[in-house]
Amino acid sequence: MVFLSVLTPVLAVILCLVIGFMLLKPREAASMSTGKPASKSENFRPWVDQDLQDDTEITAREDEVGDWMDSSEEDLPHVPYSQKRYSEEMMLQRSQDFYTLMNDRRSVRFISPDPVPREVINNVIRTAGTSPSGAHTEPWTFIVVSDPEMKHQIRLIVEEEEEVNYRHRMGEKWVHDLAKLRTNWIKEYLDVAPFLVLIFKQTHGILPNGKKKTHYYNEISVSISCGILLAALQNAGLVTVTTTPLNCGPQLRLLLRRPANEKLLMLLPVGYPASDATVPDLKRKPLDDIMVYI
Amino acid sequence: MVFLSVLTPVLAVILCLVIGFMLLKPREAASMSTGKPASKSENFRPWVDQDLQDDTEITAREDEVGDWMDSSEEDLPHVPYSQKRYSEEMMLQRSQDFYTLMNDRRSVRFISPDPVPREVINNVIRTAGTSPSGAHTEPWTFIVVSDPEMKHQIRLIVEEEEEVNYRHRMGEKWVHDLAKLRTNWIKEYLDVAPFLVLIFKQTHGILPNGKKKTHYYNEISVSISCGILLAALQNAGLVTVTTTPLNCGPQLRLLLRRPANEKLLMLLPVGYPASDATVPDLKRKPLDDIMVYI
């Protein structure tokens, strides 16, 4: 009895230690998975572009306001604005002609090596720069690459990542589906097109005092600017294919020596269509499927 | 001694319970804050548009591939593609003219009530529908509102939320800055403009078997489409102002009876500029500030 009563506190301490250890263990595991949301939890999406993902929701949507105008813009004096007013017949004709022109646009992966005048590209980029942007931050940088060696470096980076994406990240289903794909990780157009336009979004700016300046809605703004860029290319008789290279952003940013506040959003190879270019025979939705009138 | 040895196990059990309770408590707290990331942690951003936020990174970026083409598109037969090839002089002239036209575009908040032909709006929306989209999902719905009562309902919802945003969510700093703002939560143009175009992104589609179909890059796709829409409006001699109404998405979606897979991305009031319209006297960055040539 005396022996037992001496042993009891020892047993109690051991019991406490065991219980404590059991309770601590899952808590550590929980806090670890909280700290690293990209670990093998249900949120694990290895094929998601980590570079695009890491800022859009965090940087772009702080302090934002609805109408894309901030006080710095409003401090400016206002000036009268007028615009050429066309007759109704003229408006109809112009809107019809512009629709016809834009409806001829297609994503073309077969691009001619024929040279394109650089001044045309300058005008197209100038046009993209007329896009509206949140608080008039103009958060875009257009890198225009014509140097053959640089184009090839870009191709190597894009193809390597695309192959990794397809082979390893997409899983078995994707590898199977791949057999059907004529478009795979070989991107010949990155060498062949006379120009590659890489469009970076500036997730924030730097104020004169060195502090960060939030760029409201930077991804939406730069995407709108890309829409205007696509219209300008089509208007000039040039073609491109809209691509968002997965997980290449950081490597391409370093290759092109862009600062850390710039993230690659899109890569557009630009040129004339190849003489034997083909496109998938797809249709666009009719107006009634995309518009509701109230 | 016997009394003590009887008491020891009881004390040990109480000790174990106390330790266990102390260990359990913070773990529960930790798991609770994990489950609700929008609680008052450092991630708390009450002024962020919860409606836009809740899907972009989760739905839009699953399974996505880099070149916006999926197997369903590639299953289509290919057809030859050619495009009108202009002389270099003609390309230069066209690109210069289009730049001049787009550079005249400004965000205009003073819109004339003058009626606009509906067929022009149809053509403009048709043109927006020619935009490329991830895997050709065409994930956009354009709601065109001309009904005065519906426009007014929209205005009430937008103004109420904007006032809440300004007054409560923006904090003291914003309320102070507000004094400088000529643009506040009063949005007269929502009543006045002959058309309001509300652009919804479809975060996913529904397959014939009822399953969800992922819409890759839906926000980027719809934003590109908006860029083409802005170009089409400008080409027709119409004006708008790009707005992304904060936190109004769910209410406006219900008002307009849109399905749950559609999220409001933008609201564009459309019309001629008012005769006394003014715009801030802002400048755009020169080409050298937005383009790097390699």
Side-chain angles (χ1 to χ4, degrees):
Chain A
M1 185 70 188
V2 172
F3 177 73
L4 217 95
S5 71
V6 168
L7 220 70
T8 308
V10 178
L11 281 170
V13 166
I14 291 169
L15 195 70
C16 283
L17 285 174
V18 168
I19 292 173
F21 189 74
M22 286 167 67
L23 287 168
L24 268 170
K25 199 73 186 179
R27 190 174 126 205
E28 269 169 28
S31 69
M32 268 179 70
S33 71
T34 312
K36 285 192 213 165
S39 66
K40 297 207 179 207
S41 68
E42 58 181 323
N43 290 322
F44 186 49
R45 291 171 294 144
W47 52 85
V48 162
D49 192 316
Q50 298 301 329
D51 188 46
L52 278 179
Q53 186 193 25
D54 68 1
D55 49 70
T56 311
E57 296 304 317
I58 299 154
T59 314
R61 295 216 163 116
E62 277 176 4
D63 311 328
E64 60 199 7
V65 292
D67 73 350
W68 291 37
M69 174 172 275
D70 71 351
S71 50
S72 63
E73 186 176 340
E74 271 300 317
D75 283 342
L76 292 168
H78 270 234
V79 291
Y81 179 83
S82 63
Q83 197 182 21
K84 192 186 281 181
R85 187 150 166 176
Y86 306 107
S87 69
E88 292 199 356
E89 293 70 33
M90 181 67 116
M91 283 176 88
L92 257 171
Q93 189 59 53
R94 287 182 65 91
S95 63
Q96 179 62 48
D97 291 348
F98 193 65
Y99 166 66
T100 304
L101 176 68
M102 289 300 123
N103 197 37
D104 283 344
R105 190 202 58 76
R106 291 295 307 270
S107 291
V108 178
R109 288 164 185 78
F110 307 96
I111 296 182
S112 162
D114 292 358
V116 167
R118 191 172 147 188
E119 190 54 39
V120 172
I121 300 297
N122 288 353
N123 283 337
V124 164
I125 304 291
R126 276 191 191 99
T127 309
T130 68
S131 170
S133 55
H136 193 53
T137 45
E138 302 173 274
W140 37 67
T141 308
F142 300 92
I143 311 296
V144 177
V145 180
S146 70
D147 177 65
E149 180 52 35
M150 185 62 92
K151 286 195 290 182
H152 193 63
Q153 291 297 321
I154 292 169
R155 178 177 176 176
L156 292 180
I157 290 173
V158 171
E159 286 186 350
E160 189 187 343
E161 278 295 331
E162 287 277 299
E163 185 174 350
V164 170
N165 289 332
Y166 277 106
R167 280 203 194 276
H168 301 295
R169 299 183 188 171
M170 300 306 187
E172 281 304 314
K173 182 181 166 296
W174 281 90
V175 174
H176 176 73
D177 286 352
L178 199 61
K180 296 194 292 188
L181 286 177
R182 258 181 275 181
T183 304
N184 51 24
W185 54 84
I186 306 301
K187 310 279 182 196
E188 198 176 42
Y189 55 68
L190 294 177
D191 269 328
V192 171
F195 291 105
L196 303 182
V197 180
L198 293 97
I199 299 149
F200 287 81
K201 57 176 188 171
Q202 300 164 0
T203 57
H204 62 264
I206 312 288
L207 292 170
N209 62 9
K211 285 192 176 174
K212 283 187 182 182
K213 179 191 174 194
T214 308
H215 281 175
Y216 313 100
Y217 298 104
N218 64 77
E219 184 168 299
I220 295 176
S221 303
V222 179
S223 300
I224 291 174
S225 154
C226 285
I228 297 173
L229 178 64
L230 293 178
L233 287 172
Q234 176 68 13
N235 175 72
L238 297 170
V239 296
T240 187
V241 50
T242 313
T243 75
T244 44
L246 270 177
N247 298 310
C248 302
Q251 286 180 80
L252 292 175
R253 182 175 73 73
L254 290 175
L255 177 70
L256 298 166
R257 300 170 186 240
R258 302 311 307 160
N261 65 329
E262 296 189 1
K263 310 276 181 193
L264 183 67
L265 186 67
M266 261 172 256
L267 194 173
L268 306 179
V270 170
Y272 302 101
S275 56
D276 58 351
T278 60
V279 293
D281 191 19
L282 55 79
K283 299 282 172 277
R284 292 186 171 123
K285 291 178 183 173
L287 186 63
D288 285 350
D289 285 3
I290 64 169
M291 190 182 88
V292 176
Y293 186 84
I294 298 173
Chain B
M1 186 70 188
V2 171
F3 176 75
L4 216 97
S5 70
V6 168
L7 218 73
T8 307
V10 178
L11 280 170
V13 166
I14 292 171
L15 196 69
C16 283
L17 285 174
V18 168
I19 290 173
F21 189 73
M22 284 167 67
L23 287 168
L24 266 170
K25 200 72 187 182
R27 189 173 129 206
E28 270 170 26
S31 68
M32 266 178 74
S33 71
T34 311
K36 285 191 210 165
S39 67
K40 298 208 178 208
S41 68
E42 57 181 325
N43 290 322
F44 186 47
R45 291 170 294 144
W47 51 86
V48 162
D49 192 316
Q50 299 300 328
D51 188 45
L52 280 178
Q53 186 195 24
D54 68 3
D55 48 69
T56 311
E57 296 306 315
I58 300 153
T59 314
R61 299 218 162 113
E62 277 175 8
D63 309 330
E64 59 198 7
V65 290
D67 75 348
W68 291 37
M69 174 172 274
D70 71 352
S71 51
S72 63
E73 185 176 340
E74 271 300 316
D75 283 341
L76 291 169
H78 269 233
V79 292
Y81 179 82
S82 63
Q83 196 182 21
K84 191 187 284 181
R85 185 149 168 178
Y86 306 108
S87 69
E88 292 199 355
E89 293 70 33
M90 181 67 115
M91 283 176 88
L92 258 172
Q93 188 61 53
R94 286 180 66 90
S95 64
Q96 180 62 48
D97 290 349
F98 193 63
Y99 166 65
T100 304
L101 176 68
M102 288 300 125
N103 197 36
D104 283 344
R105 190 201 57 76
R106 292 296 307 270
S107 291
V108 177
R109 289 162 184 81
F110 306 96
I111 296 179
S112 161
D114 292 358
V116 166
R118 191 173 147 185
E119 190 52 42
V120 172
I121 300 297
N122 288 354
N123 283 337
V124 164
I125 303 292
R126 274 190 192 99
T127 309
T130 68
S131 171
S133 55
H136 194 54
T137 45
E138 302 173 277
W140 37 67
T141 308
F142 300 91
I143 310 297
V144 177
V145 180
S146 69
D147 178 64
E149 180 52 35
M150 186 61 92
K151 286 195 290 181
H152 193 64
Q153 291 296 320
I154 292 169
R155 176 176 178 178
L156 293 180
I157 290 172
V158 172
E159 287 187 349
E160 190 186 342
E161 278 295 330
E162 285 276 300
E163 185 175 348
V164 170
N165 289 332
Y166 277 106
R167 278 201 196 279
H168 302 294
R169 297 182 191 172
M170 300 305 184
E172 283 303 314
K173 183 183 165 294
W174 281 89
V175 173
H176 176 75
D177 286 351
L178 199 62
K180 297 193 292 188
L181 285 177
R182 259 181 275 182
T183 306
N184 51 22
W185 53 84
I186 306 303
K187 310 278 184 196
E188 198 175 40
Y189 56 68
L190 294 176
D191 269 329
V192 171
F195 290 105
L196 303 182
V197 180
L198 293 96
I199 300 148
F200 287 82
K201 56 176 189 171
Q202 299 165 1
T203 57
H204 62 264
I206 312 289
L207 291 169
N209 62 9
K211 285 192 177 175
K212 283 187 182 182
K213 178 190 174 196
T214 307
H215 281 176
Y216 313 99
Y217 296 104
N218 64 78
E219 185 168 297
I220 295 176
S221 304
V222 180
S223 300
I224 291 173
S225 154
C226 284
I228 296 173
L229 178 64
L230 294 179
L233 287 171
Q234 176 67 12
N235 175 71
L238 297 170
V239 296
T240 188
V241 50
T242 314
T243 75
T244 43
L246 270 177
N247 299 307
C248 302
Q251 286 181 80
L252 291 175
R253 182 175 72 75
L254 290 174
L255 178 70
L256 298 166
R257 300 169 186 244
R258 301 312 305 162
N261 66 331
E262 296 189 2
K263 310 275 181 194
L264 183 66
L265 186 67
M266 262 173 255
L267 193 172
L268 305 179
V270 170
Y272 302 101
S275 57
D276 58 352
T278 61
V279 292
D281 190 19
L282 56 80
K283 300 284 174 277
R284 291 184 173 125
K285 290 178 183 172
L287 184 63
D288 285 348
D289 285 4
I290 65 170
M291 188 182 91
V292 176
Y293 185 83
I294 297 174

